[in-house]
Every structure is written in C-alpha cells, then in structure tokens.
Amino acid sequence: MSHMPPPNASYTPAQIRRNRLILLGLVLAVAGMVVFWALGPYDTKDQSATLKAGDCFRNVGTDKDAKAKKLDCTDAHADYKVLKMNEDAVVDTLACSDVPGTTGSLTQSGAGKWFVVCFKENDEKGKK
C-alpha cells in the first residue's frame, strides 16, 4: 500500500520547486511530441499538382506512391527538374515521349485533376 501524505501536509519550497520542474518537463515533452507529430521529420505533403516547367523537386513518397516536394534547384536534395507539366492530359505511358531529355514521369489522376509531369535528373543539384 502506498503512503499518501495527509491532506493538510505542508510542502517545503524545495519540494514545490521540484514538483513544478517535473510538471514543466512533462508539459514540454508533450508539446514537443505534438509539434513532431504535426510537422513530422519530413514534410510529406504532395506538391506534384503545383509543379511547372523549370521547378525542381524531391520524391518524399515511394516509387509506387510518389509525392513531390518542391525545392530550389541548387538544393542538395533536389533530385529532379520538371521539363513539362501536362495538365488535364490523358494519363498514359507516352505522355512525355515528345519531351526531349525526359528520363521519367509522374502521373496523377482522379478527383477531377489529371496531369503528367515530365522530368529529368537535376544537373544543378548541390551547386550554389
């Protein structure tokens, strides 16, 4: 059985200060977890639909579920450069065949938004 102090027990200033520090530490830990959860280690919001020719990006998703994060072309993480954005395009494997230099494409369809992003490896990556 645990020992509980009587309801009228008095605490020393040192005990009060220690309890306040413990409470402050718990509050800061919870606040830190909330911020980490809200922002996460990486911004994984998909910015594919906002890309345009000349933009650079990094895939923060997977190969099967790509999610583009726009970056400055000189950023060390900007892996790809957009050559052409085909909005309202018919999504197929030949959508970028007429764009010289294309090494890959990112497609999205559904929810009334169809587009194909034609891109190549970013040759400005890491140059400042």
Side-chain angles (χ1 to χ4, degrees):
M1 191 161 192
S2 66
H3 175 57
M4 298 287 292
N8 60 356
S10 61
Y11 294 95
T12 66
Q15 289 173 319
I16 293 172
R17 195 169 31 253
R18 185 190 67 167
N19 289 344
R20 285 183 180 164
L21 286 174
I22 290 171
L23 180 61
L24 178 63
L26 288 172
V27 167
L28 289 175
V30 169
M33 289 189 304
V34 168
V35 168
F36 181 79
W37 175 79
L39 300 177
Y42 303 103
D43 179 8
T44 58
K45 182 179 178 188
D46 187 17
Q47 297 175 322
S48 301
T50 65
L51 294 172
K52 60 185 183 300
D55 286 343
C56 291
F57 69 96
R58 176 183 190 180
N59 179 10
V60 293
T62 64
D63 287 342
K64 287 190 178 259
D65 184 24
K67 294 181 182 178
K69 178 179 180 181
K70 254 196 252 190
L71 297 169
D72 186 83
C73 288
T74 58
D75 188 300
H77 299 290
D79 297 322
Y80 308 104
K81 185 168 189 170
V82 177
L83 298 175
K84 183 176 181 180
M85 167 64 125
N86 293 317
E87 293 187 76
D88 298 319
V90 175
V91 177
D92 67 27
T93 56
L94 301 175
C96 294
S97 63
D98 64 339
V99 182
T102 298
T103 58
S105 64
L106 174 65
T107 61
Q108 183 172 339
S109 61
K113 182 75 172 173
W114 297 73
F115 64 84
V116 178
V117 178
C118 307
F119 62 87
K120 68 173 188 159
E121 279 73 26
N122 177 21
D123 54 5
E124 298 174 48
K125 179 179 176 177
K127 297 179 183 177
K128 286 200 177 204

